[in-house]
Amino acid sequence: MTFYSFAKSVASSIFKPWYRIETIGMDQIPKNGGVLICANHIHNFDPIVVGITAPRPVHFMAKEELFRVPVLSGIVRKCHAFPVKRGMNDREALRQGIKVLKDGHVLGLFPEGTRSKTGELGKGLAGAGFFALRTDCAVVPCAIIGPYKSLRKLKVIYGKPLPMNELRSAKASAEEVTELIMAEIHKLIKEYR
């Protein structure tokens, strides 16, 4: 058993009963090839929740401050996270994200870039569209719905992969693709809230 599988098992045993997590649409995540999961961001636990509900291991960008803490740094890296400098265009993080997708893995992303203080869906940053257009990955919208309160239901919904081949052929911009991704997340929130 890998460290990732062990950590996922431990986190699942705590989070799933505590937040009564209901997962819908796991079959929307392709079994093979690069996949970009784009989710809304309402709580610090969102990466853990996406990680334990997705059927495949998920790689995440994590704020670089986490990698400065000696023990935590090792754990975060073993859970497939890599550092990103917030508030600036971090080329190394972008390269790493593209590599994850081109190598056929799953990259989890929160297009808003930061947690929503109100719980409402914010504006997405162009990074999601950038990854979607620079690789031939599948793009799966994801909605996390509910309060993070003990024994209150938390829903994680994975939507249908977006028609990326059409968007790539039409030479859509990263901003346009991000807007489409955010619109799909919004639809999932409205449908399942």
Side-chain angles (χ1 to χ4, degrees):
M1 179 184 272
T2 65
F3 183 85
Y4 184 96
S5 301
F6 170 73
K8 180 174 179 173
S9 174
V10 170
S12 292
S13 70
I14 296 166
F15 279 76
K16 286 185 175 177
W18 188 255
Y19 293 117
R20 294 180 54 218
I21 295 173
E22 177 187 359
T23 308
I24 299 165
M26 284 193 326
D27 57 329
Q28 300 293 354
I29 298 172
K31 291 181 173 41
N32 302 300
V35 178
L36 179 64
I37 295 174
C38 294
N40 59 318
H41 200 2
I42 59 172
H43 197 278
N44 285 333
F45 290 155
D46 291 341
I48 296 169
V49 166
V50 171
I52 64 175
T53 58
R56 293 172 57 189
V58 184
H59 298 247
F60 285 100
M61 291 183 187
K63 56 186 179 181
E64 69 169 343
E65 293 85 8
L66 296 176
F67 295 86
R68 293 188 195 138
V69 182
V71 175
L72 185 59
S73 173
I75 293 170
V76 172
R77 284 183 197 280
K78 286 181 179 176
C79 288
H80 299 172
F82 56 94
V84 62
K85 295 181 180 104
R86 297 200 306 180
M88 59 185 74
N89 194 357
D90 186 343
R91 289 196 176 149
E92 183 50 39
L94 294 175
R95 270 196 292 273
Q96 182 67 30
I98 287 172
K99 182 177 183 341
V100 165
L101 293 167
K102 286 190 171 178
D103 287 350
H105 300 296
V106 179
L107 179 64
L109 201 64
F110 300 99
E112 294 159 283
T114 188
R115 246 178 337 113
S116 167
K117 302 279 190 283
T118 64
E120 295 302 311
L121 189 65
K123 183 170 169 44
L125 303 174
F130 171 83
F131 286 122
L133 292 169
R134 288 293 174 100
T135 64
D136 63 354
C137 69
V139 179
V140 176
C142 171
I144 303 169
I145 303 169
Y148 272 89
K149 292 197 171 138
S150 63
L151 306 178
R152 296 270 305 276
K153 188 177 282 188
L154 184 73
K155 292 181 189 171
V156 182
I157 299 101
Y158 294 100
K160 290 183 179 155
L162 302 179
M164 284 308 303
N165 288 339
E166 295 167 26
L167 293 164
R168 289 177 188 123
S169 301
K171 303 260 189 277
S173 70
E175 289 80 8
E176 289 168 330
V177 172
T178 297
E179 279 181 28
L180 176 66
I181 292 168
M182 298 310 286
E184 289 301 311
I185 295 170
H186 187 265
K187 277 187 205 166
L188 291 173
I189 292 170
K190 274 181 70 175
E191 185 178 348
Y192 290 94
R193 182 172 269 164

